[in-house]
C-alpha cells in the first residue's frame, strides 16, 4: 500500500502586484480612494511599507485633502516614515506603475482577499492549539473557536478595530438623523412613550435588566416590548429558558387580538376568522424563538451568532437570567450568575445590539414595609447591577395593598440608567390578556 503524498508547501497568501496597483491608482486619481476606503484597511497590506503608505493616504482623505504624490509624501514625512518606505521615489514608482485607476476596486479586493486568507491561517493555528488544550472546559474552547471566526467576519464588516472619533461622530449624527421624527430616542423604543422618555430607548451595546418578583409580569412586559419592536419590522431574538414557544405564540396572538390569553385556543379551534387572521399576522412578525432550557451563556452567544448571520437582529431578549448556566458546571450560584451577566454584557457589545435580560428579585422585597424594589434586591450577584447599563423594576401596588389606590397600575422604575436619567413610568396591566398598555392611550405607540 502506497503512503499518501506529503502536502506541498504553500506560500503565505499575498498579492504584492495588487498592493502596488491599489496604491498607484489612488495616487493617480483623487477619487479612487472613495471606492476602497469603506472596506480596505492598512492591516490588509502584506508589506509594512505599503500599509504605512495607505495609512498616510487615509489620513489625507480624512482631512479632505486629495491623496496625491505631494500630500502623501508630506504626511509620511510628518510621521517620520518617508525614508522607511523608500522615500518619495517609491511613491513615484507606484504612480508610474498604473496606467489607469479604473480597476482600483478590483485590485483592492484582491488585497483584502489575501489578507483574510492570512487571518484564517492564523485563526486556524489558534483553534488547533485549543484542540490540544485539555485544561480548558469543552464549552470554553468551542466558544473561543467560534468567537475567533466571528471576529474575522465582524472585522471585515466593521473595517478596523480602532475607529477615529470623526467616524464615530459621523455614525452618531447618522443615528440621530434616523430617529429625527421620534423625539429624543437614541435606541430601540419599548413602545411606551412614558418609559421611552426616561430611557431614550435601549441603546446598541447595552445590557438592560428587567427585574421583578415571580408573577408580577416580567415575561409579559418583555413580550409586549418584543411585539412592538417586531411590528416596526425589526428582528427580535428571544431565548425563552422557562416558557415553551407555543405558549409565547399564544400570548402574542392574544396581544394581536386584544383578548384574554386563555381564549386563544378555543377561538382557533372554532375556526374564528379574527383569530385565524391574527395568527397569520403574528406568523409574519420577525420574531425568532429558542426555547431550549438550561442553556449556558456560551451556547446563548453561539446561537445568537448563527441567527445574526442570517437576520439583522435589533433586540435580544433572555428570559430569564437566573435560569442560564455558566461556563462551568462546578460554579456556585454567585459565580454562575456573574458569568451569565458578564457574558450577556459581552454579547450586547459584540453585536452592538441591546440585550433585554429578565431577572428575579430576592425575597427581601416581600419582607420590607415598602415593597418597591431596590438595586440590592437583584438576586444572585452584585454583578448584575454592575454590568447592566439600565435596570428596570416592575412594581404593582395591588399585589401588596388591599384595598389598592391604583388598581391595575404597574409602575416601571428605571432604577439605574448609566447614560441618562432615572424615573418612574406608569402603565396599565391587563391581567387576563397579560398585556401592558400606556395609561394615556388604548395601546402603546408603535413609534420608535
Amino acid at each position: 500500500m502506497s503512503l499518501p503524498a506529503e502536502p506541498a508547501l504553500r506560500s503565505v497568501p499575498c498579492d504584492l502586484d495588487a498592493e502596488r496597483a491599489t496604491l498607484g491608482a489612488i495616487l493617480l486619481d483623487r477619487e479612487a480612494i472613495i471606492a476602497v476606503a469603506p472596506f480596505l484597511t492598512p492591516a490588509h497590506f502584506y508589506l509594512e511599507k505599503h500599509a504605512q503608505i495607505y495609512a498616510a493616504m487615509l489620513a489625507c482623505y480624512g482631512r479632505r485633502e486629495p491623496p496625491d504624490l505631494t500630500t502623501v509624501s508630506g504626511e509620511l514625512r510628518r510621521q517620520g516614515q518617508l525614508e522607511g518606505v523608500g522615500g518619495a521615489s517609491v511613491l513615484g514608482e507606484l504612480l508610474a506603475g498604473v496606467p489607469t485607476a479604473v480597476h482600483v476596486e478590483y485590485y483592492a479586493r484582491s488585497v483584502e482577499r489575501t489578507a483574510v486568507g492570512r487571518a484564517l491561517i492564523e485563526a486556524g493555528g489558534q483553534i488547533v492549539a485549543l484542540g490540544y488544550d485539555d485544561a480548558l472546559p469543552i464549552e470554553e474552547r468551542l466558544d473561543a473557536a467560534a468567537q475567533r471566526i466571528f471576529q474575522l467576519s465582524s472585522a471585515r464588516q466593521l473595517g478596523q478595530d480602532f475607529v477615529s472619533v470623526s467616524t464615530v461622530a459621523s455614525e452618531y449624527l447618522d443615528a440621530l438623523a434616523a430617529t429625527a421624527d421620534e423625539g429624543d430616542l437614541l435606541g430601540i423604543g419599548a413602545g411606551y412613550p412614558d418609559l421611552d422618555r426616561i430611557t431614550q430607548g435601549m441603546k446598541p451595546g447595552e445590557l438592560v435588566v428587567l427585574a421583578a418578583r415571580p408573577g408580577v409580569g416580567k415575561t409579559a412586559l418583555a413580550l409586549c416590548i418584543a411585539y412592538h419592536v417586531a411590528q416596526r419590522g425589526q428582528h427580535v431574538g428571544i431565548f425563552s429558558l422557562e416558557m415553551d414557544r407555543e405558549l409565547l405564540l399564544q400570548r402574542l396572538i392574544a396581544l394581536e387580538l386584544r383578548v384574554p390569553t386563555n381564549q386563544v385556543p378555543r377561538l382557533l379551534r372554532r375556526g374564528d376568522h379574527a383569530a385565524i387572521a391574527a395568527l397569520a399576522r403574528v406568523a409574519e412578525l420577525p420574531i425568532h424563538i429558542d426555547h431550549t432550557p438550561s442553556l449556558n451563556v456560551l451556547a446563548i452567544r453561539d446561537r445568537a451568532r448563527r441567527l445574526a448571520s442570517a437576520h439583522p437582529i435589533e433586540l435580544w431578549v433572555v428570559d430569564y437570567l437566573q435560569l442560564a448556566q455558566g461556563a462551568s458546571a462546578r460554579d456556585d450560584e454567585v459565580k454562575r450568575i456573574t458569568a451569565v451577566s458578564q457574558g450577556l454584557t459581552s454579547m450586547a457589545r459584540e453585536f452592538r445590539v441591546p440585550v433585554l435580560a429578565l431577572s428575579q428579585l430576592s425575597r427581601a422585597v416581600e419582607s420590607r414595609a415598602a415593597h418597591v424594589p431596590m438595586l440590592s434586591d437583584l438576586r444572585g450577584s452584585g454583578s448584575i447591577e454592575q454590568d447592566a447599563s439600565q435596570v428596570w423594576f416592575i412594581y404593582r401596588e395591588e399585589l401588596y395593598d388591599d384595598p389598592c389606590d391604583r388598581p391595575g397600575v404597574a409602575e416601571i422604575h428605571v432604577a439605574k440608567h448609566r447614560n441618562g436619567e432615572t424615573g418612574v413610568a406608569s402603565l396599565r396591566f391587563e391581567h387576563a390578556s397579560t398585556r401592558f398598555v400606556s395609561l394615556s392611550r388604548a395601546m402603546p405607540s408603535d413609534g420608535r
Side-chain angles (χ1 to χ4, degrees):
M1 185 177 74
S2 61
L3 295 174
E6 289 290 332
L9 292 177
R10 297 181 180 181
S11 59
V12 175
C14 65
D15 189 340
L16 299 185
D17 289 338
E19 292 188 9
R20 286 189 286 265
T22 300
L23 298 175
I26 294 172
L27 291 171
L28 181 65
D29 185 350
R30 62 189 299 170
E31 302 295 327
I33 196 169
I34 298 174
V36 302
F39 67 88
L40 191 65
T41 73
H44 286 136
F45 288 83
Y46 182 67
L47 291 186
E48 179 64 22
K49 66 177 183 179
H50 289 170
Q52 292 174 343
I53 293 170
Y54 183 66
M57 291 173 168
L58 287 178
C60 295
Y61 178 57
R63 294 195 299 268
R64 300 188 184 280
E65 296 177 357
D68 56 26
L69 196 61
T70 301
T71 58
V72 173
S73 61
E75 177 63 26
L76 287 168
R77 187 177 292 108
R78 277 191 294 273
Q79 298 294 333
Q81 297 173 340
L82 183 59
E83 295 306 317
V85 302
S89 61
V90 168
L91 299 182
E93 292 172 4
L94 292 172
L95 178 60
V98 290
T100 176
V102 171
H103 305 298
V104 63
E105 186 171 355
Y106 171 81
Y107 296 130
R109 288 295 181 187
S110 180
V111 174
E112 180 199 28
R113 184 178 65 254
T114 55
V116 171
R118 295 193 298 273
L120 283 170
I121 292 171
E122 181 184 357
Q126 294 171 347
I127 293 171
V128 168
L130 286 169
Y132 286 105
D133 191 354
D134 285 334
L136 287 176
I138 293 174
E139 292 83 359
E140 289 188 22
R141 285 189 280 170
L142 289 173
D143 181 67
Q147 190 166 4
R148 186 68 186 92
I149 297 299
F150 183 81
Q151 285 170 350
L152 291 180
S153 176
S154 298
R156 187 172 187 271
Q157 295 169 8
L158 298 176
Q160 54 190 34
D161 293 331
F162 289 95
V163 178
S164 69
V165 72
S166 62
T167 301
V168 176
S170 176
E171 293 174 351
Y172 178 73
L173 290 175
D174 289 343
L176 291 180
T179 57
D181 299 329
E182 298 156 13
D184 295 328
L185 290 192
L186 301 176
I188 299 293
Y192 301 101
D194 291 344
L195 178 59
D196 290 338
R197 195 173 299 117
I198 298 170
T199 66
Q200 294 184 305
M202 296 171 285
K203 291 166 275 297
E206 283 193 334
L207 173 63
V208 181
V209 172
L210 172 61
R213 289 290 293 155
V216 176
K218 297 187 300 296
T219 300
L221 180 56
L223 200 59
C224 285
I225 292 172
Y227 173 76
H228 299 147
V229 172
Q231 280 190 317
R232 300 194 293 266
Q234 296 168 302
H235 288 260
V236 181
I238 300 177
F239 290 95
S240 180
L241 307 182
E242 182 180 38
M243 187 176 294
D244 284 343
R245 58 193 176 199
E246 290 81 5
L247 293 176
L248 290 179
L249 174 64
Q250 185 171 310
R251 287 195 176 196
L252 287 169
I253 297 171
L255 288 175
E256 182 71 24
L257 274 176
R258 306 184 188 184
V259 300
T261 305
N262 59 10
Q263 289 186 14
V264 171
R266 183 168 63 252
L267 291 172
L268 290 174
R269 280 196 296 265
R270 284 193 339 220
D272 182 86
H273 293 299
I276 293 173
L279 173 60
R281 290 192 297 272
V282 168
E284 295 296 319
L285 291 175
I287 295 177
H288 313 269
I289 301 171
D290 186 320
H291 71 161
T292 308
S294 302
L295 281 177
N296 67 44
V297 67
L298 301 181
I300 289 173
R301 291 173 63 180
D302 181 60
R303 293 179 184 216
R305 291 185 192 112
R306 279 184 278 159
L307 180 59
S309 68
H311 303 283
I313 303 298
E314 300 286 346
L315 174 67
W316 297 103
V317 179
V318 179
D319 183 13
Y320 59 91
L321 194 149
Q322 281 80 10
L323 288 180
Q325 301 300 309
S328 173
R330 298 185 297 271
D331 289 343
D332 59 26
E333 184 181 23
V334 172
K335 288 184 179 179
R336 177 175 61 83
I337 294 177
T338 297
V340 172
S341 175
Q342 293 173 349
L344 295 180
T345 301
S346 298
M347 175 175 158
R349 294 176 62 85
E350 179 179 320
F351 292 105
R352 296 294 301 155
V353 168
V355 173
L356 178 62
L358 280 56
S359 176
Q360 292 279 27
L361 293 178
S362 69
R363 294 183 182 273
V365 177
E366 314 288 348
S367 60
R368 292 196 302 267
H371 299 293
V372 177
M374 300 185 299
L375 290 170
S376 59
D377 296 326
L378 288 167
R379 178 182 152 192
S381 171
S383 179
I384 300 175
E385 176 186 350
Q386 177 181 327
D387 295 333
S389 295
Q390 299 188 45
V391 178
W392 306 348
F393 295 126
I394 306 176
Y395 170 67
R396 289 166 52 198
E397 181 185 339
E398 63 185 352
L399 297 178
Y400 301 101
D401 297 336
D402 188 18
C404 170
D405 294 334
R406 305 178 73 196
V409 173
E411 294 178 351
I412 312 302
H413 290 248
V414 180
K416 178 184 178 181
H417 190 190
R418 183 172 289 157
N419 301 306
E421 300 178 357
T422 58
V424 180
S426 294
L427 307 176
R428 182 168 299 283
F429 179 63
E430 298 178 354
H431 189 272
S433 59
T434 61
R435 182 165 61 113
F436 285 84
V437 299
S438 293
L439 290 176
S440 57
R441 59 188 69 188
M443 280 293 289
S445 168
D446 288 340
R448 201 168 163 180

